[in-house]
Amino acid sequence: MKPQYQYQYDVLVIGSGASGASLALKLAPSAKIAVISKKELTEGCTLYAQGGIAGVCKNAEDSIQAHVDDTVNAGAGLCDPNIVRFAVENGEKQIEWLIDKKVPFTQQTAANGEQHYHLTREGGHTHRRVFHATDATGEAIEKTLVDNIIGRQNIDIFEHHIAIDLIMESKVSDVQTQQQNNRCVGAYILDRKTNSVAVFRARFVVLASGGASKVYLYTSNPDVSTGDGIAMAWRAGCRVANMEFIQFHPTCLYHPKAKSFLVTEALRGEGAKLLLPNGKPFMQQFDPRGELAPRDIVARAIDHEMKRLGIPCVHLDISHQSEDFIKSHFPTIYSRCLELGIDITKEPIPVVPAAHYTCGGVMTNSVGQTDISGVYAIGETAFTGLHGANRMASNSLLECFVFATAAAEDILSKIDTIPYPPIQSEWDESRVTNSDEEVVVSHNWDELRQFMWDYVGIVRTNKRLERAKHRVDLLTHEINDYYGNFRVNNDLIELRNLVQVAELIIRSAMLRKESRGLHYTLDYPQTNENTQPHNTVLTPTNYIEPMSDERANAATHADQSHPVTTPPNKNENILH
Ligand SMILES: Cc1cc2nc3c(=O)[nH]c(=O)nc-3n(C[C@H](O)[C@H](O)[C@H](O)COP(=O)(O)OP(=O)(O)OC[C@H]3O[C@@H](n4cnc5c(N)ncnc54)[C@H](O)[C@@H]3O)c2cc1C
């Protein structure tokens, strides 16, 4: 067999959203970088972010302390105060950097004729501090970053390539050498167009692959959000934390042709009513604030009614407003719904809550370093300790830029001390064949997302979680067996990751015997005020405690005294 070509870079960046693209730009003057993207460079959650990015600027009435306090309040006792302060203090610098890169944030003219950036205020924020580009901030940011990356010296772009697994330095038996060798040296990457797998060797690998909301039937996220970075890191031996905290957005358009279309909360702000199929409003029974109750309460109420009545969606009605008002205030929603045959000036919009944001992820310290030398995790893939048990709106983009910068600085400070990895074993397909029944993948994909929605969704119970655990264990077995016998393709890689992440979410949810933040269970409806709030840290069986102080900071936000569990199955990379 002809030897495969092996790529070699200083830094392999997996993901081209806000976190990956900004990190690449910050490294580019001094390092040779590969940026890998599953689809087109721009595709990812960043592109769809609507609201904006939070940041306190010097000349505003706002303060760092107020932003810190708001974030900590939203996080329901689980934010790491040092990380929150670090992120908030660095906000202005990041926004200046984005402005410098020419992100067209919305401006307004003051009475004295001067131009200022227009700041909005969102749920949980006590001040106006959200920089935005009309109602399409993510698109403005992502397209600007991608424009900056394309053609940039030192950055090679690999679109339609999907990372499969991290490559670790060869395994050895004695503990000290294990610690010394617990270093990642690259990743196996599948070219989706040619279906061939290549070795990418690198001194550093950065997981910037976004969240895992695609594990649920309904999600506001694009198809790429399948938790690949979290699953890859876990298989390689990294701890993950707080996977039970999944944020659900209350209103996503429910229509067979409308995948992932968010219906903004601003509609409810303008008096839209949530209705049952018989036209009856129901929010007042759940909260005196009705439709204006916080996001998690509205999502829970909708979920309750859907489960009680066995209905697939509820309705959101803004038709009491005039046609002109609706068209001028909500042009995007009006035209998108009209395309699907729904005239929102005359009829209600079918909506469901949808998985929106993964608060947990791969454990990192304040510079994005994970448990494995050479592996960093940034953006929605990472668990930094910023969000605690509930993410405050517009803090996630902030997190992407702050920790991408910190990781870039850390990598550059070490880069000269790390040699290029030697040639690695090639991807071996000698013992696998083409799949005989692709239906196994599509069936398991649907089944997984359905039971995650039904049993591990907005409202949980012990029984629902047990049912989900039983099913995920069966699927894990089946998918690993399939993976071991057949040639990989994009869907199989994603399904294997989704099932892994689902298992981590279920296990984390089972460990939390209280309701806190985004985790709500009917069996423990109260927040446990008697014990110190703790993070849920899961430790893989192949975890090797870092030798040096590389991940020392992680302990500042990972309470090690609470239950730390290991997976039931031996979790090794299954490479064929
Ligand atoms: C509809 C919507 C609205 C939002 N609004 C806001 C908002 O107003 N403010 C805010 O702060 N946050 C908002 N968020 C959240 C925020 O957009 C995300 O948390 C953030 O953009 C994540 O950036 P990221 O770089 O971590 O990942 P993403 O932007 O999701 O990028 C992930 C990248 O990884 C790539 N990738 C994934 N797996 C692989 C693999 N195996 N191999 C190769 N490449 C891979 C993808 O192709 C993509 O390039 C919103 C999210 C959604 C969905």
Side-chain angles (χ1 to χ4, degrees):
M1 210 171 64
K2 209 168 66 177
Q4 291 165 358
Y5 176 73
Q6 299 204 352
Y7 295 89
Q8 176 169 286
Y9 288 93
D10 290 322
V11 187
L12 173 63
V13 184
I14 299 173
S16 55
S19 58
S22 61
L23 173 110
L25 285 172
K26 289 175 184 200
L27 288 171
S30 322
K32 184 87 185 132
I33 298 144
V35 175
I36 310 288
S37 188
K38 245 201 267 194
K39 286 191 167 178
E40 298 77 30
L41 265 191
T42 50
E43 182 64 350
C45 279
T46 304
L47 187 70
Y48 301 94
Q50 298 177 347
I53 171 169
V56 177
C57 49
K58 279 187 207 85
N59 51 4
E61 285 165 16
D62 197 6
S63 69
I64 297 287
Q65 190 58 45
H67 190 180
V68 168
D69 291 345
D70 293 347
T71 304
V72 168
N73 285 341
L78 284 187
C79 293
D80 178 335
N82 296 330
I83 291 288
V84 174
R85 184 161 290 280
F86 175 68
V88 168
E89 282 178 349
N90 279 284
E92 187 176 19
K93 203 164 82 187
Q94 297 308 323
I95 285 159
E96 281 167 2
W97 183 80
L98 289 167
I99 291 169
D100 184 56
K101 289 280 161 288
K102 307 264 180 294
V103 173
F105 287 120
T106 300
Q107 300 191 42
Q108 64 179 14
T109 312
N112 62 5
E114 279 179 19
Q115 286 283 102
H116 291 285
Y117 285 101
H118 180 256
L119 304 176
T120 57
R121 185 174 152 188
E122 292 192 323
H125 292 271
T126 52
H127 289 77
R128 285 185 172 269
R129 62 169 76 101
V130 178
F131 288 75
H132 64 105
T134 63
D135 63 350
T137 311
E139 189 178 328
I141 289 178
E142 182 66 21
K143 288 190 169 162
T144 306
L145 294 177
V146 164
D147 283 349
N148 276 274
I149 280 186
I150 292 173
R152 179 75 184 251
Q153 209 188 358
N154 270 351
I155 301 183
D156 288 350
I157 294 165
F158 295 85
E159 287 183 301
H160 304 284
H161 281 64
I162 178 168
I164 307 172
D165 263 314
L166 297 174
I167 306 173
M168 299 296 292
E169 233 164 22
S170 55
K171 295 197 167 61
V172 281
S173 54
D174 79 283
V175 173
Q176 200 190 344
T177 327
Q178 262 184 5
Q179 286 179 324
Q180 281 163 1
N181 282 14
N182 191 32
R183 183 164 192 94
C184 173
V185 288
Y188 290 109
I189 311 276
L190 172 79
D191 178 339
R192 295 179 59 184
K193 292 199 166 153
T194 62
N195 243 4
S196 58
V197 179
V199 170
F200 280 63
R201 282 182 280 132
R203 291 158 136 175
F204 296 92
V205 177
V206 182
L207 300 168
S209 48
S213 290
K214 214 47 201 177
V215 80
Y216 287 97
L217 183 61
Y218 300 117
T219 173
S220 64
N221 287 199
D223 287 349
V224 295
S225 304
T226 50
D228 297 359
I230 299 171
M232 275 190 281
W234 171 259
R235 284 193 293 267
C238 291
R239 290 171 299 166
V240 302
N242 284 6
M243 290 300 291
E244 69 273 36
F245 296 115
I246 304 289
Q247 189 170 66
F248 290 84
H249 194 285
T251 54
C252 228
L253 181 59
Y254 177 74
H255 190 280
K257 289 194 183 142
K259 240 188 346 185
S260 328
F261 185 72
L262 205 74
V263 180
T264 167
E265 276 165 303
L267 245 83
R268 281 180 282 125
E270 297 299 344
K273 286 268 170 247
L274 281 161
L275 307 174
L276 295 175
N278 62 7
K280 275 200 169 160
F282 58 90
M283 268 314 299
Q284 282 296 332
Q285 293 162 33
F286 292 89
D287 194 286
R289 290 164 288 187
E291 274 74 5
L292 296 180
R295 228 180 230 194
D296 48 333
I297 293 177
V298 179
R300 231 176 277 151
I302 299 175
D303 182 73
H304 178 89
E305 290 303 295
M306 283 172 59
K307 285 207 170 77
R308 184 176 73 84
L309 297 167
I311 49 176
C313 65
V314 295
H315 295 90
L316 185 65
D317 192 5
I318 184 82
S319 63
H320 67 284
Q321 291 280 11
S322 72
E323 196 171 326
D324 282 352
F325 178 91
I326 294 172
K327 285 183 180 169
S328 61
H329 281 72
F330 305 110
T332 317
I333 295 173
Y334 171 75
S335 52
R336 180 71 183 120
C337 287
L338 203 60
E339 276 168 30
L340 299 167
I342 306 161
D343 182 350
I344 70 170
T345 64
K346 298 190 174 64
E347 58 190 319
I349 311 167
V351 289
V352 279
H356 189 52
Y357 187 81
T358 313
C359 289
V362 184
M363 283 178 67
T364 67
N365 65 9
S366 61
V367 295
Q369 168 77 57
T370 70
D371 287 326
I372 295 177
S373 302
V375 180
Y376 291 70
I378 53 173
E380 202 170 328
T381 304
F383 164 77
T384 60
L386 174 65
H387 305 302
N390 195 355
R391 171 194 74 122
M392 194 167 68
S394 293
N395 266 355
S396 32
L397 284 172
L398 173 70
E399 184 185 42
C400 287
F401 296 113
V402 169
F403 291 93
T405 306
E409 285 167 3
D410 196 60
I411 289 170
L412 290 177
S413 73
K414 292 177 181 157
I415 205 155
D416 291 337
T417 64
I418 305 294
Y420 281 110
I423 296 283
Q424 298 296 311
S425 310
E426 286 169 5
W427 186 255
D428 178 9
E429 290 200 324
S430 61
R431 283 174 294 149
V432 295
T433 58
N434 284 332
S435 156
D436 54 352
E437 286 201 314
E438 287 289 344
V439 69
V440 175
V441 174
S442 61
H443 175 90
N444 286 343
W445 182 284
D446 293 343
E447 188 182 332
L448 177 75
R449 296 181 66 212
Q450 180 75 55
F451 78 67
M452 284 300 287
W453 181 256
D454 290 338
Y455 299 147
V456 200
I458 299 165
V459 178
R460 298 160 181 176
T461 65
N462 286 344
K463 260 202 185 132
R464 287 178 189 164
L465 293 176
E466 276 159 24
R467 285 188 193 118
K469 182 76 175 83
H470 180 62
R471 278 164 176 78
V472 87
D473 287 346
L474 286 175
L475 280 190
T476 303
H477 183 74
E478 202 170 305
I479 291 162
N480 281 347
D481 186 52
Y482 189 92
Y483 184 83
N485 286 304
F486 299 113
R487 225 161 247 132
V488 289
N489 60 29
N490 187 75
D491 290 353
L492 178 56
I493 293 166
E494 289 187 338
L495 177 62
R496 176 178 176 238
N497 292 331
L498 281 174
V499 82
Q500 178 61 77
V501 170
E503 201 269 336
L504 297 171
I505 296 172
I506 297 166
R507 211 138 39 90
S508 305
M510 288 175 112
L511 283 169
R512 187 163 290 282
K513 308 287 187 208
E514 62 168 349
S515 291
R516 180 185 292 277
L518 298 165
H519 174 72
Y520 183 77
T521 161
L522 294 175
D523 290 306
Y524 313 99
Q526 307 301 327
T527 300
N528 191 349
E529 306 288 1
N530 299 326
T531 54
Q532 184 74 5
H534 63 264
N535 293 314
T536 307
V537 179
L538 301 180
T539 307
T541 47
N542 54 350
Y543 168 71
I544 298 170
E545 201 168 330
M547 204 171 58
S548 65
D549 60 353
E550 276 188 331
R551 275 217 70 274
N553 289 352
T556 62
H557 58 75
D559 174 3
Q560 299 297 319
S561 61
H562 67 273
V564 170
T565 64
T566 50
N569 304 318
K570 194 163 185 291
N571 217 296
E572 292 182 331
N573 289 355
I574 306 169
L575 299 177
H576 22 120

